[in-house]
Amino acid sequence: MEFQAVLMAAGGGSRMTDLTYNTPKPLLPVGNKPLIWYPLNLLERVGFEEAIVITTKEVQKMMSADPKIKLDVKMKLDVVCIQEDSDMGTADALRHIQQKIKTDVLVVSCDLITDVALHEVVDLFRAHDASLAMLMSKAHEYTETIPGQKGKKKTAEQRDFVGVDHSGKRLLFMANEADLDEGLMIRKSTMRKHPRMHIKTGLVDAHLYCLKKAVVDFLSNNKFISSIRGELVPYLVRKQFSKAMNSQKSKEESDDQSTTDRAPSEELGILSRDDPLRELAQERSCWNDHHGDMGEAYHGGKLRCYVHILEQGLCFRVNTLAAYIEANRLAPKLFDEPAVHPSAVISEKCQMGSDSIIGPLSQVADKTSIKRTTIGSSTSVREKVKVANSIIMHGVTIEEGCNIIGCVICSNAVIGRGADLKYCLVGNGQRIEPEAKRTNEVIVGMDQLMEI
């Protein structure tokens, strides 16, 4: 077994609490499948037969008890639960399962939806015997109106600055805008070895990483690193060109060796360990990963980081309400299944667009119109209802004569007769009174408001 797959599914969805108050983020329905299904399906399609799933006891319990949550995967899942109230980052979670890790690992977030050819990332990792290979994509533009957010200013995402070499694959520099006090500071040791660097913005980390087993071992001995994305990746990228990490040590590099970057315990363990045969092949080969000098391949560096940037295709993380709405528009294109589940009962007098899907055991009555809408399982849509550009979760009842446009209606809600909802988010189990007219509102229970 070359890789072990690790799925991170313990995040609480702090940026979409209106949706995750009653349903954990990994189990939110996207295209009538749990969100966690998409990365599991990605792994299964490329041949993984088992995966370690790091999650909470709440998610594990709901996965086993709720019949609406069907993962439909053949993989063997080793579910590891962590405390729900613990402030555990992704690196902490990886450290938590260190005893289970026997090989290099492929770490994936449960909120990733992508059609990437996974071998593009893995091949970089293999070809260069890298310590890290990761996936990034261009930032996704969300065009749909967000329910309940009219007039609210959109908070600007802080940019990542990503430096790559001439090939666009070697990851040389990474910094977030929030961490830059006085502009971009690039080390002399990096510029000496890579005098031409392309700085890219507008990229999003997909939270998909290939990591050496030695990196996981390194984490177990260095508990100051809590997050893979926020701390481990920048640390590895920065350490590629530090004095202690390279076999060739020169005095001229010592001038920019930061005192804060001194080797913590077991630091040398994260180096790529070239076996004698590989070293001999490199020594006798004329291949090089760079040009412009007579230095050896990788400038003798043993720690190497790479990135695959997806230029075209589907790749985004479902970590905001906007992303969740977009996911329900696009995700069904990733699997070939009928738009209407065989167990659903749809009236012949229902007008349903080809871009809508209806889940199992749902009922749609006469004289209804369903356009660009996802309807979950066990939902009842009565006569003369119009629904457009909306997401209707499981067990919802929409009584006759309702008009629903651009809404997200969470599970077990009841929409009273003749209600008119436009761009609203209706929380789990909420009841909308008959003939109500609501526009751009978030309608949740008092307990949920207190939580927020």
Side-chain angles (χ1 to χ4, degrees):
M1 181 170 58
E2 184 183 5
F3 289 98
Q4 287 176 269
V6 177
L7 186 67
M8 297 289 183
S14 59
R15 300 169 68 186
M16 48 199 301
T17 52
D18 294 325
L19 292 178
T20 59
Y21 184 74
N22 289 97
T23 304
K25 183 172 76 167
L27 304 182
L28 283 174
V30 174
N32 284 340
K33 294 183 180 294
L35 178 55
I36 194 175
W37 177 85
Y38 291 91
L40 287 174
N41 178 256
L42 174 69
L43 294 170
E44 194 170 65
R45 290 201 316 267
V46 297
F48 280 95
E49 296 179 351
E50 56 186 62
I52 300 172
V53 179
I54 302 176
T55 189
T56 63
K57 289 184 178 179
E58 180 189 13
V59 172
Q60 184 188 38
K61 184 178 179 180
M62 292 182 68
M63 285 170 60
S64 58
D66 193 339
K68 299 186 187 73
I69 300 171
K70 293 182 64 177
L71 291 183
D72 289 328
V73 292
K74 298 177 182 177
M75 301 171 64
K76 177 185 176 183
L77 302 181
D78 180 4
V79 179
V80 178
C81 294
I82 61 175
Q83 293 183 358
E84 297 174 36
D85 56 351
S86 64
D87 188 20
M88 185 178 284
T90 48
D92 296 321
L94 204 53
R95 187 183 297 115
H96 182 70
I97 62 165
Q98 191 243 353
Q99 296 299 322
K100 292 178 176 285
I101 302 302
K102 308 301 181 186
T103 68
D104 298 338
V105 294
L106 177 63
V107 181
V108 190
S109 173
C110 77
D111 60 9
L112 176 64
I113 294 182
T114 181
D115 59 0
V116 69
L118 200 54
H119 72 84
E120 298 279 7
V121 184
V122 175
D123 286 352
L124 274 177
F125 185 80
R126 290 167 171 156
H128 300 283
D129 193 27
S131 297
L132 161 74
M134 61 186 294
L135 173 66
M136 301 191 84
S137 68
K138 291 183 177 179
H140 195 88
E141 292 290 334
Y142 301 111
T143 58
E144 300 289 340
T145 302
I146 308 304
Q149 295 192 9
K150 183 178 181 181
K152 292 185 181 180
K153 290 185 178 180
K154 183 179 179 181
T155 55
E157 293 281 345
Q158 290 178 318
R159 295 175 297 171
D160 281 325
F161 294 89
V162 180
V164 294
D165 68 354
H166 66 280
S167 71
K169 301 293 187 183
R170 181 76 187 266
L171 186 56
L172 306 175
F173 176 82
M174 177 175 282
N176 187 268
E177 194 171 11
D179 301 326
L180 302 177
D181 297 327
E182 300 177 357
L184 292 175
M185 302 288 290
I186 300 176
R187 295 183 167 198
K188 292 179 184 177
S189 56
T190 304
M191 296 307 297
R192 286 192 190 102
K193 294 172 181 176
H194 294 275
R196 296 187 64 184
M197 181 189 303
H198 301 274
I199 301 290
K200 295 177 178 286
T201 58
L203 297 177
V204 176
D205 183 355
H207 287 220
L208 186 151
Y209 313 101
C210 289
L211 295 169
K212 284 278 188 190
K213 179 183 182 299
V215 174
V216 182
D217 296 337
F218 165 77
L219 284 175
S220 69
N221 294 298
N222 293 277
K223 297 182 180 180
F224 69 94
I225 294 178
S226 179
S227 163
I228 295 177
R229 169 64 187 88
E231 295 169 306
L232 178 62
V233 171
Y235 180 85
L236 294 176
V237 172
R238 190 171 67 246
K239 278 293 179 181
Q240 290 179 99
F241 307 106
S242 74
K243 180 180 176 183
M245 284 293 163
N246 295 294
S247 57
Q248 294 178 338
K249 300 180 181 180
S250 63
K251 291 183 180 179
E252 64 179 359
E253 291 183 352
S254 63
D255 59 353
D256 60 345
Q257 181 68 21
S258 169
T259 57
T260 61
D261 250 3
R262 288 174 183 164
S265 62
E266 304 297 327
E267 186 175 70
L268 295 180
I270 61 178
L271 298 177
S272 295
R273 290 189 173 91
D274 294 337
D275 58 66
L277 190 60
R278 181 188 291 272
E279 288 183 351
L280 181 63
Q282 288 184 359
E283 181 182 327
R284 299 192 177 182
S285 171
C286 61
W287 178 85
N288 208 328
D289 69 313
H290 62 276
H291 51 74
D293 60 41
M294 297 298 290
E296 61 182 301
Y298 310 113
H299 293 100
K302 300 294 185 181
L303 197 166
R304 303 187 275 270
C305 301
Y306 284 82
V307 60
H308 174 64
I309 300 174
L310 186 66
E311 299 288 347
Q312 293 183 331
L314 184 65
C315 184
F316 60 93
R317 293 182 61 221
V318 183
N319 55 2
T320 63
L321 180 55
Y324 179 72
I325 292 171
E326 190 76 0
N328 276 276
R329 306 273 183 262
L330 300 176
K333 299 176 182 178
L334 293 176
F335 50 89
D336 185 20
E337 291 184 5
V340 178
H341 193 274
S343 65
V345 179
I346 310 298
S347 168
E348 293 180 357
K349 296 181 180 179
C350 166
Q351 295 181 348
M352 177 181 163
S354 59
D355 46 8
S356 297
I357 61 174
I358 298 179
L361 303 175
S362 288
Q363 297 181 345
V364 180
D366 292 345
K367 300 179 182 178
T368 54
S369 173
I370 312 291
K371 296 180 179 178
R372 292 191 75 210
T373 291
T374 298
I375 296 179
S377 62
S378 304
T379 287
S380 176
V381 181
R382 307 281 170 78
E383 295 84 357
K384 299 180 181 178
V385 169
K386 294 182 179 180
V387 186
N389 300 330
S390 296
I391 300 167
I392 316 296
M393 296 190 191
H394 307 308
V396 174
T397 298
I398 303 176
E399 297 181 351
E400 52 264 35
C402 291
N403 185 42
I404 298 172
I405 297 176
C407 295
V408 176
I409 300 179
C410 297
S411 296
N412 305 313
V414 177
I415 313 301
R417 174 185 291 194
D420 189 338
L421 303 181
K422 295 179 180 177
Y423 305 108
C424 292
L425 190 152
V426 180
N428 189 288
Q430 295 301 302
R431 179 178 290 271
I432 304 299
E433 62 274 15
E435 306 297 334
K437 295 186 183 297
R438 303 287 191 92
T439 302
N440 276 297
E441 293 186 38
V442 175
I443 305 164
V444 295
M446 293 302 296
D447 56 340
Q448 190 167 344
L449 288 172
M450 292 299 291
E451 180 75 16
I452 292 171

